[in-house]
Amino acid sequence: MSTLPSSPDTLHAPQPGPSSSPLHAPAPHESGLKHTSGEARYVDDLPAPPGMLTGHLVTSPHAHARILRRDASRARALPGVHAVLFAEDIPGENQVGPVIHDEPLMSEGEVHFQGQTVALVLAENATVARRAAALVEVEYEPLPALLSIKAAVEAGSFLTTPHVIGRGELDAALAAAPVRLSGECMTGAQDHFYLETQASLAVPGEDGTVHLWSSTQHPSEVQAIVAGVLGTGRHQVVVVVPRMGGGFGGKETQAAPFAALAALGARVTGRPVKVWLNRDQDMAFTGKRHPFWGRYEAGLDKEGRLLALNVELVSDGGWSTDLSHAILDRALFHLDNAYFVPALRFTGRVARTNLPSNTAFRGFGGPQGMFVMEEVLNRAAELLGLDPAVVRERNYYRAAPANLTHYGQTVEGNRLPRIHAELMASSDYARRRAEIEAFNASSRWTKRGLGFQPVKFGISFTTSFLNQAGALVVIYTDGSVQLNHGGTEMGQGLHTKMRAVCAHELGVAPERVRVMNTATDKVPNTSATAASSGSDLNGMAVKQACEVLRERLRPVAARLLQAERGGEVDALAFVGGRVFLPARPERSVSFAEVVHAAYLAQVSLSATGYYRTPDISYDRVAGRGKPFHYYAFGAAVVEVEVSGLTGEHRVRRVDILHDVGNSLVPSIDRGQVEGAFIQGVGWLTCEEVLFDAKGRLVTHSPDTYKIPAVGDAPEDFRVALLERAPQDDTIHGSKAVGEPPFMLAIGAVTALRHAVAAFGPPRTPVELASPATPEAILRAVEVARATGALPDGGA
């Protein structure tokens, strides 16, 4: 066995400075080049195992029906077909409900939405599988279907009981308010439209085991559900996530059924099975962002300060519960957004309809809740003839007692006043608003609008026990590192950040750290990569594992450096691939030499890390608690231009100032802010999800469903991260970034309302539907024009 070099050249090697750490510095996405070159491998890119079969779903053509008869004999007789499976062929539980067990993998007796799985065809290839699926005979008796929130409410069809959060004497405060307004608003669904559709590959192994490659945000949940369906222990199932081509919440729970179908096929046939959905299937079979119906009654003073607010929310959960409970809770938590309301009552409930089960989507109910509050403030500003930005500022959370949320958590470290002041100055808001007013006065057919949108967003899973994470770090004797953690990479840059944390803690170059595929046999019992907490939770777990390893290596390095006197061991620095005493940086040894010496000294070179978020809990019955570890803040100024002839609009300029703490990798965070904002604009302006009268999805592909394109991006897009803003008790002072910027796009709605109102007289009330498609904008413009029409019909 080789021995360690100990020449003077080794001990006196050049010493890099503190800038050698990759933390808090821009960096390319660790898979960016692979994405653009095609080298990156997703589930469908993996080489097909020998004998692989294709799984194809036979689904219901009805939104609600009773199954009278099933016959697969013709399909099974087709050459190349290996099996056609029904619910009775499941060896374990016919159940994939993630929280509430109300979602069978394959329907038994009754179907509840158009697209529900009735049978699984397993064939040699996709062509044969599709032909066989068409030969499966299923006879149905159609039943009445509920296809909207309002229809479900009228029928008393609900998935949950009401959740109520309140404080103060609401009725008295409403009665005494100088200004009263009431109304209702709807927010629509949104398709996740991840570039990679749902995909799973299952390979059977020895002794009834199965190895799954799944495009999922929650590998441990896939493992649990697959084990339940197969009737085996979770130790028999390994789930691997190579990477996802986007998730946005759509693969938090809804990847599991397709993984379970693939695993079931592999168990029955003894052959590898892939289940992959094309775009039309993915959009038709999977759930969306929950539509919400909000009704409100507000009381304000004459300066626009909220005194009392009563809000009732009803969400469309679809046919089964999925995560609707928690999504509704977060909507109620975020109804306040950035504003203190002395007296309030917020009530929420989930309706059950005969549509695909709606699920997690970036913001997780927060955007839907905030939208109602922002609608109230916009209407108040229009009624009072005030700038909506002024109204918003007057309602901010401030010093005690106006720093307590409706659920009892104190808003600590409120950075909105600072963000507000800095963004108003940097965006030149006051001058531009005056210029827009002048432009609108002289322009008949085109109007412009300016909107300001602040955001306060709580960070943590609101289901408290999910706030935990693990990591496994392995160092090899050449000083290279393999990093395993429980988070999944879906393009958001989590692996880039975790590699930076690991490299920083061990003092090595990022290129020496390889982030491994997320796998349940490396890091068990993980939470979903969701709730914007991937970096917070996994980063702390990675840090802890690296700290354990670093402490094991300290005595070894001290012996090599002959620095074993009191205090010297603890003072050793691991920076830039070398280990040294800060007081004597000219004497150092390489990290690889220290690791090799540790191996020879029989020191373990692998360690696990674990982290749980401290001091968070919530009592749902009482409506009180501390559900969030901290709040992220941000604000946007949005300028738009609207055509009064077509209803089309364009976003002229966006200025964003967002709080990400002390960013782990600023280039990644900036990209997340930009992407979140654009996705939010899509939800609010062009992504309209439509079903026909029979519950069939009409907007089932890019030819009927419009996501934002390059031409929809702001002509002038200015994004800045708040400086000098470290956060206490988080991974290296950073903050979450995935979800909070999404809500900044509500500023586009405020800007559109400003432009639409300009087609009418001062204080014109604006009736603008969501999403604000060209048709919706044109209808709003016509209403505004009619408000200003002369009695004889002239303009």
Side-chain angles (χ1 to χ4, degrees), residues 653-723:
R653 176 175 163 182
V654 173
D655 295 73
I656 291 175
L657 181 57
H658 196 72
D659 168 27
V660 294
N662 194 5
S663 173
L664 293 175
V665 182
S667 52
I668 294 294
D669 286 346
R670 187 182 301 273
Q672 284 292 291
V673 173
E674 293 171 352
F677 180 86
I678 294 296
Q679 192 173 49
V681 168
W683 172 53
L684 292 166
T685 65
C686 63
E687 297 186 45
E688 189 171 24
V689 176
L690 298 172
F691 292 87
D692 68 15
K694 293 185 178 181
R696 181 181 66 90
L697 182 67
V698 176
T699 50
H700 56 81
S701 67
D703 62 350
T704 49
Y705 184 77
K706 184 184 186 315
I707 63 170
V710 173
D712 299 301
E715 297 171 6
D716 187 351
F717 202 178
R718 309 182 188 194
V719 174
L721 305 180
L722 188 67
E723 297 180 349

Side-chain angles (χ1 to χ4, degrees), residues 455-493:
V455 164
K456 170 186 69 68
F457 192 82
I459 303 298
S460 290
F461 285 99
T462 52
T463 302
S464 299
F465 70 82
L466 295 175
N467 293 288
Q468 58 177 303
L472 167 65
V473 178
V474 178
I475 305 176
Y476 293 95
T477 54
D478 64 350
S480 63
V481 181
Q482 282 188 354
L483 167 60
N484 302 269
H485 64 87
T488 56
E489 176 60 51
M490 61 194 90
Q492 84 278 36

Side-chain angles (χ1 to χ4, degrees), residues 170 174 295-298 308-312 343-347:
L170 175 66
L174 279 172
R295 291 178 287 184
Y296 56 85
E297 186 176 7
L309 182 61
N310 183 28
V311 177
E312 296 179 16
L344 58 81
R345 181 169 59 244
F346 296 162
T347 306

Side-chain angles (χ1 to χ4, degrees), residues 186-338:
M186 297 284 297
T187 52
Q190 183 181 21
D191 191 88
H192 301 85
F193 214 92
Y194 26 65
L195 292 180
E196 178 200 24
T197 56
Q198 300 280 1
S200 291
L201 170 63
V203 178
E206 298 176 343
D207 303 319
T209 60
V210 64
H211 201 105
L212 272 158
W213 286 264
S214 175
S215 183
T216 176
Q217 296 172 234
H218 201 342
S220 289
E221 183 172 88
V222 170
Q223 177 191 33
I225 286 175
V226 167
V229 167
L230 298 183
T232 188
R234 298 178 190 181
H235 67 303
Q236 298 283 85
V237 180
V238 174
V239 178
V240 179
V241 183
R243 60 168 52 80
M244 282 170 280
F248 309 115
K251 296 175 181 176
E252 182 172 349
T253 60
Q254 299 210 351
F258 308 107
L261 289 167
L264 173 64
R267 165 65 66 84
V268 171
T269 64
R271 301 268 292 268
V273 171
K274 180 186 289 184
V275 173
W276 168 83
L277 302 186
N278 64 33
R279 178 65 61 187
D280 289 72
Q281 291 172 320
D282 192 293
M283 294 184 74
F285 299 168
T286 65
K288 314 284 183 275
R289 179 185 296 280
H290 288 66
F292 268 68
W293 177 25
R295 291 178 287 184
Y296 56 85
E297 186 176 7
L300 307 94
D301 65 21
K302 293 181 180 180
E303 286 73 45
R305 296 182 186 88
L306 281 164
L307 304 174
L309 182 61
N310 183 28
V311 177
E312 296 179 16
L313 293 180
V314 183
S315 70
D316 183 348
W319 77 282
S320 65
T321 305
D322 197 86
L323 298 175
S324 296
H325 252 276
I327 290 164
L328 178 73
D329 287 356
R330 189 173 280 267
L332 294 174
F333 290 147
H334 287 87
L335 257 168
D336 64 326
N337 189 14

Side-chain angles (χ1 to χ4, degrees), residues 82-420:
H82 286 251
V84 178
L85 307 179
F86 293 110
E88 58 266 27
D89 297 308
I90 296 171
E93 296 180 298
N94 182 23
Q95 186 55 243
V96 293
V99 180
I100 307 297
H101 298 312
D102 62 350
E103 188 175 340
L105 176 62
M106 290 193 278
S107 58
E108 296 180 281
E110 200 169 305
V111 291
H112 299 278
F113 74 97
Q114 192 169 131
Q116 185 171 358
T117 303
V118 176
L120 174 68
V121 174
L122 300 162
E124 292 286 343
N125 56 57
T127 301
V128 175
R130 283 194 297 269
R131 290 177 58 200
L135 296 175
V136 176
E137 299 173 18
V138 184
E139 184 181 343
Y140 300 92
E141 177 191 352
L143 299 171
L146 300 170
L147 301 176
S148 70
I149 298 177
K150 292 185 178 181
V153 170
E154 290 173 2
S157 176
F158 294 98
L159 288 165
T160 68
T161 56
H163 183 190
V164 182
I165 306 176
R167 73 165 165 213
E169 299 296 327
L170 175 66
D171 294 337
L174 279 172
V179 179
R180 297 277 294 273
L181 59 88
S182 62
E184 63 178 63
C185 57
M186 297 284 297
T187 52
Q190 183 181 21
D191 191 88
H192 301 85
F193 214 92
Y194 26 65
L195 292 180
E196 178 200 24
T197 56
Q198 300 280 1
S200 291
L201 170 63
V203 178
E206 298 176 343
D207 303 319
T209 60
V210 64
H211 201 105
L212 272 158
W213 286 264
S214 175
S215 183
T216 176
Q217 296 172 234
H218 201 342
S220 289
E221 183 172 88
V222 170
Q223 177 191 33
I225 286 175
V226 167
V229 167
L230 298 183
T232 188
R234 298 178 190 181
H235 67 303
Q236 298 283 85
V237 180
V238 174
V239 178
V240 179
V241 183
R243 60 168 52 80
M244 282 170 280
F248 309 115
K251 296 175 181 176
E252 182 172 349
T253 60
Q254 299 210 351
F258 308 107
L261 289 167
L264 173 64
R267 165 65 66 84
V268 171
T269 64
R271 301 268 292 268
V273 171
K274 180 186 289 184
V275 173
W276 168 83
L277 302 186
N278 64 33
R279 178 65 61 187
D280 289 72
Q281 291 172 320
D282 192 293
M283 294 184 74
F285 299 168
T286 65
K288 314 284 183 275
R289 179 185 296 280
H290 288 66
F292 268 68
W293 177 25
R295 291 178 287 184
Y296 56 85
E297 186 176 7
L300 307 94
D301 65 21
K302 293 181 180 180
E303 286 73 45
R305 296 182 186 88
L306 281 164
L307 304 174
L309 182 61
N310 183 28
V311 177
E312 296 179 16
L313 293 180
V314 183
S315 70
D316 183 348
W319 77 282
S320 65
T321 305
D322 197 86
L323 298 175
S324 296
H325 252 276
I327 290 164
L328 178 73
D329 287 356
R330 189 173 280 267
L332 294 174
F333 290 147
H334 287 87
L335 257 168
D336 64 326
N337 189 14
Y339 317 113
F340 175 75
V341 186
L344 58 81
R345 181 169 59 244
F346 296 162
T347 306
R349 200 169 186 186
V350 181
R352 186 180 195 268
T353 61
N354 293 111
L355 295 172
S357 187
N358 289 313
T359 191
F361 201 131
R362 198 175 200 162
F364 205 77
Q368 296 97 312
M370 286 188 194
F371 185 92
V372 178
M373 173 63 84
E374 302 304 331
E375 175 89 358
V376 170
L377 294 182
N378 280 332
R379 286 200 56 201
E382 291 159 7
L383 178 66
L384 296 169
L386 297 172
D387 181 344
V390 172
V391 173
R392 286 178 166 84
E393 184 181 23
R394 287 174 180 171
N395 283 286
Y396 283 161
Y397 279 102
R398 47 197 183 274
N403 64 343
L404 197 66
T405 65
H406 50 296
Y407 45 87
Q409 180 166 342
T410 302
V411 180
E412 297 175 333
N414 185 1
R415 292 170 178 168
L416 269 179
R418 176 187 163 195
I419 291 173
H420 183 105

